[in-house]
Amino acid sequence: MAKMIKLVSGDGAEFEVEEEVAFQSKIIKDIVADADDVIPLPTVSSKVLIQVIEYCRKHAAVNSFPLSPSSSAAAAASSSSSISYSKPVSDPALRAWDNEFVKLNNSSLFDIVIAANYLDIEELVDLVLETVADRIKGKQAQEIRRQFNIENDFTPEEEEALRRENSWAFQNN
Amino acid sequence: MVSRFPSSTATATTASSSFFAFLSEDVVLDILAKLESDPRDWARLACVSSRFSSLVRAVCFRSHCSRYLPPDLLPSTAAGAVAWSSLHKLSVCCPGLHHAGVLLEHSDFGLERDIGPHLAPPGPSFSSSSCSSDPRNPPSQALSDVSCWSLFDDLYFDTVYDSSEAQDVACTPIEPSPGDNHPITVGSIAPNRRTKPWVGPTSSHLATGPWTLSRVQGNKLLASRYRNDCLYICDWPGCTHAEEKRKYMLFRGMFKNFKRSRVWKTINDLNKGKIRLACAFCACRETWDLHSAFCLRRIFGFHDDGEPVVRAYVCENGHVSGAWTETPLYD
């Protein structure tokens, strides 16, 4: 019987998750080591916590002991298999799942990256940052401003000078 | 890691108003690091806001240059953002056919640029004193009469082809174009441009070739008396443009300590006119033609149509743009 950990969101909702799922968060892993199985997370809303738990559940299944069927392919593909679980960076199914997971608007991504950082879930932080970078790639300055609500704080002269300096970059192949 | 992020009480509403406003610089730089593979993304980001501009130039461009360029060319740590921006551009940006001088007309073997623009010979009433300030003949009227004569005109007509001696088709003396009233200047001369169509982009763009510069390439370009000058050129073959008639291997590069180089001394001593061909990598609006200043190896000649096999232009900051038209003899 897997040990269960209880997570309590900022708005009072309780979530019972398997230990290995909760341990995707280094912070929770450390707290539980002090024999504390109920972990209040006052700064994380239930909406965001649900999403984070979903991510952790998926990744725990792949990150579990290498002999489990779901991760054996990943273990074979991974170059660093000396640790107890392998990083499934080359697992295409998991990557596809991750890509679906981050199909969220910017404000949801922001909430998730804040929570993931708070809970110290490095892979999730990296996934969100990667997603943001993808939303910048190939875009012109004006599009980037629109996408992320960034104010154009240049004077017309500064903007013109930057345009002249960087116009070589304005074409896409 | 917790310190990189704002307080987790930042709300979604706040974020929707400005995603990046509440992210610390560490995090923003982590995002920028993921854009390294295409230099255009950084360059476009530098145009978004002042925060991105300073991060991209001071951090991203600097890390790229430190990785790809020889330490010799890196500015001191106190260098401003513009220095890194210029250097980054030198690494990744092809000057394009325009800044490499490919679009300049070469059929006159560069004579016009050496000795002045075309002018009609003076009329019989010419007086050399009319060029100076003369109350009876104000300068503007003298100019419009095209009655100023100088040494350059003598040189030109000494060398112009005399059709009576030819067995082939005669070359007629070149007539000045209508309205061509400006006086001779040994300063900026606007180069003529070809009008034939070009296949690819003529302006600066992301280079297809390597991002590294090497002195080995620079040494292949310069005449042997300049062997002590440090010219770094991008690795062969640079950015290749296959045009209708000819293939151009565009290169870019930079002199280390240009003002202390022998090339600089040469072009300064010769007092050769700059041409109004802007540098692709900085704000210089004029450059010197290294080919007509005899700074390039003499073995590089011309094609039958007068186009030089290799051309190169240098600005006052030592930035070089140029083009090969065939595989060099040394490789």
Side-chain angles (χ1 to χ4, degrees):
Chain A
M1 167 82 174
K3 187 175 176 203
M4 304 301 280
I5 307 286
K6 189 181 282 187
L7 305 176
V8 185
S9 71
D11 40 356
E14 293 181 355
F15 300 89
E16 256 199 339
V17 295
E18 296 82 2
E19 189 180 71
E20 66 166 2
V21 173
F23 280 10
Q24 295 296 298
S25 158
K26 291 199 187 75
I27 295 288
I28 291 176
K29 199 171 177 181
D30 289 345
I31 294 172
V32 168
D34 290 340
D36 202 343
D37 294 349
V38 180
I39 299 169
L41 304 169
T43 56
V44 184
S45 71
S46 51
K47 175 193 166 213
V48 175
L49 192 52
I50 287 169
Q51 290 173 308
V52 171
I53 288 171
E54 186 190 352
Y55 175 90
C56 292
R57 181 158 281 135
K58 184 67 181 180
H59 280 249
V62 181
N63 281 349
S64 61
F65 204 71
L67 292 178
S68 75
S70 59
S71 66
S72 57
S78 169
S79 54
S80 59
S81 50
S82 56
I83 49 175
S84 59
Y85 56 86
S86 53
K87 277 220 176 256
V89 288
S90 50
D91 183 341
L94 188 62
R95 284 170 71 83
W97 188 92
D98 281 351
N99 289 340
E100 277 305 306
F101 178 77
V102 288
K103 280 184 181 169
L104 301 165
N105 62 26
N106 286 342
S107 67
S108 300
L109 283 183
F110 182 87
D111 291 339
I112 288 177
V113 80
I114 297 295
N117 172 71
Y118 175 66
L119 296 168
D120 200 357
I121 309 171
E122 201 176 312
E123 280 181 23
L124 182 52
V125 170
D126 197 65
L127 174 63
V128 173
L129 298 187
E130 187 75 56
T131 304
V132 172
D134 285 343
R135 292 183 186 187
I136 293 172
K137 280 176 191 167
K139 290 204 167 71
Q140 301 297 330
Q142 187 56 19
E143 291 171 85
I144 296 172
R145 284 192 205 113
R146 217 177 5 245
Q147 162 88 294
F148 295 100
N149 245 311
I150 302 170
E151 190 202 340
N152 178 1
D153 58 351
F154 293 125
T155 64
E157 293 76 25
E158 285 169 341
E159 199 169 355
E160 175 56 26
L162 279 165
R163 191 199 61 76
R164 265 187 276 112
E165 187 181 303
N166 296 294
S167 60
W168 63 273
F170 294 170
Q171 311 147 14
N172 275 314
N173 286 339
Chain B
M1 178 131 108
V2 175
S3 63
R4 300 185 327 156
F5 283 80
S7 153
S8 49
T9 51
T11 63
T13 317
T14 322
S16 66
S17 63
S18 180
F19 183 91
F20 284 98
F22 294 93
L23 295 180
S24 70
E25 297 211 335
D26 273 4
V27 175
V28 177
L29 287 173
D30 277 350
I31 296 172
L32 296 188
K34 296 179 187 298
L35 300 168
E36 193 176 10
S37 58
D38 189 338
R40 291 173 297 186
D41 286 323
W42 281 351
R44 290 184 202 123
L45 265 173
C47 302
V48 167
S49 71
S50 54
R51 184 190 184 195
F52 277 110
S53 179
S54 60
L55 279 179
V56 164
R57 289 155 126 200
V59 181
C60 303
F61 285 172
R62 181 176 174 161
S63 83
H64 173 102
C65 292
S66 304
R67 189 171 150 197
Y68 286 97
L69 298 184
D72 261 357
L73 293 182
L74 302 181
S76 64
T77 46
V82 175
W84 291 114
S85 184
S86 213
L87 220 48
H88 174 262
K89 200 170 171 184
L90 199 66
S91 170
V92 304
C93 176
C94 172
L97 297 170
H98 168 60
H99 292 289
V102 175
L103 305 187
L104 301 176
E105 184 57 62
H106 286 277
S107 60
D108 61 352
F109 291 82
L111 278 176
E112 182 182 19
R113 280 183 270 120
D114 284 347
I115 65 170
H118 308 302
L119 285 178
S125 59
F126 167 75
S127 162
S128 60
S129 62
S130 66
C131 285
S132 53
S133 55
D134 182 347
R136 291 170 300 166
N137 202 2
S140 56
Q141 190 180 348
L143 289 174
S144 63
D145 289 344
V146 197
S147 55
C148 280
W149 188 252
S150 78
L151 173 63
F152 295 109
D153 300 82
D154 281 337
L155 287 171
Y156 179 80
F157 284 97
D158 279 345
T159 52
V160 78
Y161 190 79
D162 184 349
S163 58
S164 65
E165 296 172 6
Q167 293 176 354
D168 301 324
V169 174
C171 296
T172 54
I174 299 163
E175 299 296 327
S177 42
D180 197 1
N181 291 330
H182 35 262
I184 300 162
T185 56
V186 183
S188 334
I189 298 166
N192 288 332
R193 308 253 167 110
R194 290 186 182 179
T195 53
K196 73 175 196 185
W198 297 93
V199 174
T202 56
S203 56
S204 302
H205 52 274
L206 181 68
T208 52
W211 293 343
T212 48
L213 307 185
S214 76
R215 194 168 168 194
V216 168
Q217 296 297 331
N219 286 343
K220 291 177 191 171
L221 191 65
L222 296 177
S224 55
R225 63 185 171 281
Y226 301 106
R227 73 177 76 80
N228 291 326
D229 288 353
C230 293
L231 172 60
Y232 290 87
I233 295 284
C234 64
D235 286 324
W236 177 259
C239 186
T240 304
H241 292 236
E243 293 293 333
E244 187 188 1
K245 189 173 183 179
R246 198 161 274 146
K247 197 160 77 165
Y248 297 92
M249 279 70 74
L250 268 58
F251 58 85
R252 68 260 181 211
M254 184 167 174
F255 280 91
K256 177 189 167 185
N257 296 329
F258 182 52
K259 292 287 173 69
R260 296 211 288 268
S261 70
R262 192 167 173 176
V263 167
W264 170 250
K265 189 171 187 311
T266 300
I267 57 185
N268 242 353
D269 288 351
L270 283 180
N271 196 22
K272 289 194 78 65
K274 283 183 185 179
I275 56 173
R276 267 212 296 275
L277 180 67
C279 176
F281 304 106
C282 66
C284 289
R285 292 192 179 278
E286 293 170 329
T287 50
W288 284 270
D289 179 351
L290 290 173
H291 188 279
S292 59
F294 304 107
C295 294
L296 306 185
R297 284 183 188 265
R298 291 182 61 187
I299 203 150
F300 304 131
F302 295 86
H303 293 276
D304 292 341
D305 59 1
E307 182 164 21
V309 166
V310 62
R311 76 200 82 200
Y313 301 87
V314 65
C315 78
E316 198 174 9
N317 292 320
H319 300 132
V320 173
S321 299
W324 298 95
T325 53
E326 62 187 43
T327 308
L329 297 176
Y330 316 95
D331 200 2

